[in-house]
Amino acid sequence: MHSQQGTLQCQTAQHSTAQHSTAQHSTAQHSTAQHSTAQHSTAQHSTAQHSTAQHSTAQHSTAQHSTAQHSTAQHSTPANNPTSDDLKFQHAFLAELDDKLWQSAEKLRSKLSPADYKFVVLGLVFLKYASDSFNAHKHTLQAQFTDPNNDFYLDPEIFTPEEIAAELGEKDHYLRANVFYLPQAARWDELKNVITLNAGTELPWGGKFNGVSNLIDSAFDAIEQENKKLKFERIARFELEDKYLVQLIQLFSSTDFSQPKFNGVPVKMAAKDILGHVYEYFLGKFAREEGKLGGEFFTPKSIVSLIVEMLEPYRGRIYDPAMGSGGFFVQADRFIREHQGLDPRGKKADISIFGQELNKTTWQLAAMNMAIHGLDFDFGRGAANTFTAPQHLDKKMDFIMANPPFNIKEWWDKSLKGDVRWQFGEPPAGNANFAWLQHMIHHLSDNGKIAMVMANGSMSANTSSEAAIRQAILQADLVEAMVALPAQLFTNVSIPACIWILNKAKPRRGEVLFLDARNLGFMKDRRQRDFDPADIQKIAQTYHRWQQQNGYVNVPAFCYSAELSEIAANDFVLTPGRYVGAEELDDNGGNFAETMQNLTAVLKQQFAQSAELEAKIKANLGELGYE
């Protein structure tokens, strides 16, 4: 805020409500870059504007894309540089918070399926986030208005308490700071104070109380009217008893997100970051609860983190054509903030976010996820099919990160015949894998990169069209690296998966790096494997060293750099295991004949035990009359 906005300075004529008019704080000033679909207009984001050379800060207005753009109420600043002890303390706090909130959310388990109650819980998380951000900025304004040394000081000898209160509620103050403006009917404290009213009681903002579900839905209505890009799933249709919703609201109310403490000690985290974490945690938990269906909206964080670390999306257009709940976008923003001050490319979050999603409710989850993390976005006009109704077909992207559904059979439409996207061949109607890949290649800028998760079969499929497409893409020298992933990384699929890395500006032409990560990671529980940070760094650093030709060496059973001629000799199959070879085992110095003798003795002993057990079983069956 600057002194040039003299409306808040010292004369009555200067401070009238009329002077905070549209003329001063118009929607044109607070461009729809803050809160409307138009913020990513074609004029703002044309291909010409967003060539790699043209991603200047000037193109992405402060309101849109810099880390400074979001107020302290919304963003913790990386300048705080938390120590390792701070981070451990934060993790302990978040673990306890996660457990507390999830246990309470599970009270709805017997009333609703995970597919439904996620909308109730995540909707409340968003309301709490928006209210905390709104209140924090309101307190900031209040401090400015009462400080005689501040440009925005409102002299109480000139202004009445009513005028100051009206100024605190002025919408433009919040929009300018990229904080969601909340009408009274959508403010958490206001809702909390009326949830136990009797039916028919007048509400402070008008209307009558008609149950907690309708109260929450009315809050969603109010937010949507102020923020056209957000859409919420209404919860009254779930017919939940008020008592369950009251319990959840009271739980979130008892948790202080703006001034958090753990064991009585303040935690150095902004409310936005805490609630953003809670939202992501709940998405992951709901995905696990829903099983296969959960994979439609959630990609495991370990895979998202690995892809972001490999692509390093510091600035430019980021696109996900199968975005789910938007995890790649959130992680890209986190990556940039974590690297501020550590890398000259990471000083500004100079990114534009574009996505598409077929499922309407998943689209809504993604929009809420962006809002909670303070990220501007363009997800098109709404949920739509990426193949038949692409929302960003005229745009070129700098980073494309995606985990589309594997091996989709029912995807083809006759309108796709001869589509401009099928540059390397028409994909088979019975499998969409290479349709996804070619759609992404079509969107690449001249220096663009792709990281796409696909089923392992894509690396070696030998149907005529798939093999020909894979060969053509390789011969165009677009494939930069292939990563074989461990089993059980996903909540929803058990088939093996891999990551394709494509790069239009490959530094090592005519070569492909193969990485076999199947033996990395750890079992976080009986069902799911995960990468630890060291695993992610091992893969990403190997890739970057190879790119930069800085200390890279082939490591048997892990990484290998192959020339295209070698890949051609292998029928253009891209399975890393075919290239990296086997691990060189240390000679233990033992005698082979002696080792075999010992193993044979053990085997004979086991055969004898097996025969003895078989005899006992037969005897027991005989006693029961089953010879």
Side-chain angles (χ1 to χ4, degrees):
M1 298 190 182
H2 304 288
S3 58
Q4 65 185 16
Q5 294 175 348
T7 27
L8 295 178
Q9 297 174 345
C10 298
Q11 299 177 10
T12 306
Q14 288 176 308
H15 289 284
S16 66
T17 306
Q19 284 185 316
H20 286 286
S21 65
T22 308
Q24 284 183 307
H25 297 290
S26 65
T27 306
Q29 274 184 314
H30 304 291
S31 67
T32 35
Q34 288 170 317
H35 293 291
S36 77
T37 308
Q39 55 198 158
H40 284 290
S41 66
T42 306
Q44 285 175 311
H45 297 291
S46 67
T47 305
Q49 276 184 310
H50 286 278
S51 65
T52 305
Q54 288 178 314
H55 278 293
S56 66
T57 308
Q59 281 180 309
H60 300 285
S61 67
T62 304
Q64 285 180 309
H65 297 293
S66 70
T67 302
Q69 70 200 158
H70 301 294
S71 67
T72 306
Q74 286 186 306
H75 272 293
S76 62
T77 170
N80 289 336
N81 292 326
T83 65
S84 59
D85 287 340
D86 288 336
L87 291 174
K88 290 177 182 178
F89 193 67
Q90 290 173 7
H91 291 159
F93 161 72
L94 292 173
E96 181 184 75
L97 179 65
D98 290 340
D99 186 61
K100 170 186 172 183
L101 296 179
W102 180 252
Q103 285 186 17
S104 298
E106 284 210 300
K107 293 176 181 178
L108 297 177
R109 179 193 286 272
S110 62
K111 306 298 176 184
L112 294 172
S113 70
D116 290 333
Y117 76 78
K118 69 171 176 279
F119 294 111
V120 179
V121 175
L122 294 176
L124 289 175
V125 170
F126 181 85
L127 280 177
K128 187 68 167 71
Y129 151 76
S131 292
D132 280 4
S133 295
F134 180 87
N135 288 336
H137 192 61
K138 186 177 180 180
H139 292 322
T140 298
L141 292 172
Q142 204 157 20
Q144 293 172 343
F145 294 169
T146 56
D147 179 3
N149 296 317
N150 192 283
D151 288 341
F152 295 98
Y153 174 59
L154 299 181
D155 191 336
E157 294 185 4
I158 300 175
F159 298 97
T160 67
E162 291 76 16
E163 286 175 324
I164 295 175
E167 194 65 42
L168 278 172
E170 184 65 35
K171 182 192 301 186
D172 287 342
H173 292 311
Y174 300 89
L175 299 185
R176 186 167 54 251
N178 207 21
V179 173
F180 280 98
Y181 177 77
L182 294 182
Q184 187 180 2
R187 297 173 191 171
W188 186 270
D189 289 341
E190 298 280 0
L191 298 176
K192 181 185 67 175
N193 290 336
V194 300
I195 55 177
T196 56
L197 292 178
N198 294 322
T201 304
E202 289 287 336
L203 293 169
W205 50 86
K208 295 184 178 181
F209 180 73
N210 187 28
V212 180
S213 291
N214 287 307
L215 186 73
I216 294 170
D217 283 350
S218 294
F220 291 157
D221 290 339
I223 293 175
E224 285 183 359
Q225 289 173 11
E226 294 291 338
N227 307 277
K228 302 299 183 184
K229 293 172 71 172
L230 289 177
K231 302 294 179 186
F232 296 89
E233 192 74 9
R234 302 302 188 264
I235 67 173
R237 67 184 180 89
F238 299 131
E239 299 182 349
L240 279 169
E241 293 180 57
D242 277 3
K243 64 179 181 180
Y244 296 109
L245 295 171
V246 168
Q247 288 175 4
L248 283 176
I249 291 172
Q250 289 174 341
L251 169 70
F252 282 113
S253 298
S254 68
T255 303
D256 190 342
F257 295 99
S258 57
Q259 294 180 316
K261 291 184 179 181
F262 181 59
N263 294 335
V265 180
V267 179
K268 299 176 182 178
M269 290 188 74
K272 182 206 80 87
D273 291 325
I274 298 171
L275 283 161
H277 166 87
V278 169
Y279 192 88
E280 290 179 74
Y281 174 78
F282 275 18
L283 281 173
K285 292 290 285 186
F286 286 128
R288 288 173 63 81
E289 292 291 316
E290 291 186 51
K292 185 175 181 180
L293 291 176
E296 293 180 1
F297 63 83
F298 186 78
T299 299
K301 188 176 179 181
S302 59
I303 296 174
V304 173
S305 299
L306 172 60
I307 284 176
V308 170
E309 287 288 336
M310 293 182 76
L311 259 57
E312 297 183 312
Y314 284 106
R315 58 175 56 85
R317 288 181 168 189
I318 299 177
Y319 175 53
D320 184 346
M323 66 184 180
S325 56
F328 283 113
F329 306 133
V330 171
Q331 186 60 28
D333 174 67
R334 183 179 292 121
F335 172 85
I336 292 169
R337 289 195 283 141
E338 287 174 351
H339 286 76
Q340 285 182 9
L342 302 177
D343 190 296
R345 297 169 294 174
K347 291 181 180 177
K348 295 181 183 294
D350 192 13
I351 59 173
S352 304
I353 290 172
F354 298 86
Q356 185 157 351
E357 172 57 43
L358 175 62
N359 184 283
K360 174 188 171 185
T361 54
T362 302
W363 190 101
Q364 293 170 348
L365 291 177
M368 280 197 289
N369 201 8
M370 297 305 98
I372 280 183
H373 287 88
L375 296 173
D376 191 26
F377 62 94
D378 182 349
F379 293 163
R381 297 180 179 179
N385 186 301
T386 299
F387 298 126
T388 58
Q391 300 292 290
H392 311 290
L393 196 58
D394 62 331
K395 296 180 176 68
K396 297 299 181 183
M397 309 295 182
D398 301 301
F399 300 96
I400 302 177
M401 301 178 283
N403 172 32
F406 298 166
N407 304 322
I408 295 180
K409 292 182 172 61
E410 304 295 330
W411 74 277
W412 180 257
D413 184 270
K414 61 182 181 181
S415 66
L416 297 173
K417 188 75 175 177
D419 193 286
V420 67
R421 290 169 286 182
W422 314 147
Q423 178 183 352
F424 300 99
E426 190 170 281
N431 192 311
N433 286 346
F434 283 96
W436 284 113
L437 188 57
Q438 290 195 86
H439 171 86
M440 296 181 211
I441 292 172
H442 171 81
H443 278 287
L444 275 184
S445 68
D446 290 342
N447 294 295
K449 298 179 183 179
I450 294 171
M452 175 184 173
V453 183
M454 280 212 282
N456 273 4
S458 64
M459 298 187 289
S460 58
N462 57 9
T463 63
S464 58
S465 58
E466 289 180 304
I469 293 170
R470 185 175 63 248
Q471 177 177 334
I473 293 172
L474 276 162
Q475 290 175 331
D477 207 7
L478 291 174
V479 180
E480 184 171 45
M482 300 295 301
V483 184
L485 296 171
Q488 294 178 270
L489 279 178
F490 295 87
T491 57
N492 61 317
V493 293
S494 56
I495 60 175
C498 62
I499 300 173
W500 288 61
I501 306 289
L502 282 71
N503 187 350
K504 265 200 171 181
K506 287 173 61 174
R508 298 182 65 161
R509 310 301 298 184
E511 296 180 77
V512 175
L513 175 65
F514 291 93
L515 292 155
D516 192 341
R518 289 177 297 175
N519 294 323
L520 299 183
F522 64 97
M523 294 302 295
K524 62 190 298 184
D525 54 39
R526 291 179 300 173
R527 295 166 52 191
Q528 193 172 9
R529 181 175 289 273
D530 201 355
F531 284 138
D532 63 29
D535 295 323
I536 291 172
Q537 287 304 310
K538 179 179 181 179
I539 299 168
Q541 288 177 6
T542 300
Y543 168 65
H544 294 143
R545 286 172 183 155
W546 175 84
Q547 281 185 311
Q548 298 158 11
Q549 301 189 57
N550 180 20
Y552 170 83
V553 292
N554 292 331
V555 177
F558 175 61
C559 60
Y560 181 81
S561 180
E563 294 186 355
L564 287 179
S565 58
E566 186 176 353
I567 298 171
N570 280 279
D571 297 322
F572 297 97
V573 169
L574 292 175
T575 308
R578 179 172 293 208
Y579 300 93
V580 301
E583 185 175 4
E584 295 178 357
L585 299 176
D586 292 333
D587 184 1
N588 61 14
N591 180 277
F592 176 77
E594 181 181 343
T595 301
M596 281 302 297
Q597 185 175 0
N598 292 336
L599 290 174
T600 302
V602 172
L603 186 61
K604 286 181 179 179
Q605 183 181 10
Q606 290 173 340
F607 279 156
Q609 291 173 343
S610 174
E612 183 180 349
L613 181 61
E614 182 181 357
K616 289 181 179 179
I617 292 172
K618 286 181 177 180
N620 289 336
L621 288 173
E623 291 177 3
L624 295 172
Y626 297 100
E627 294 290 349

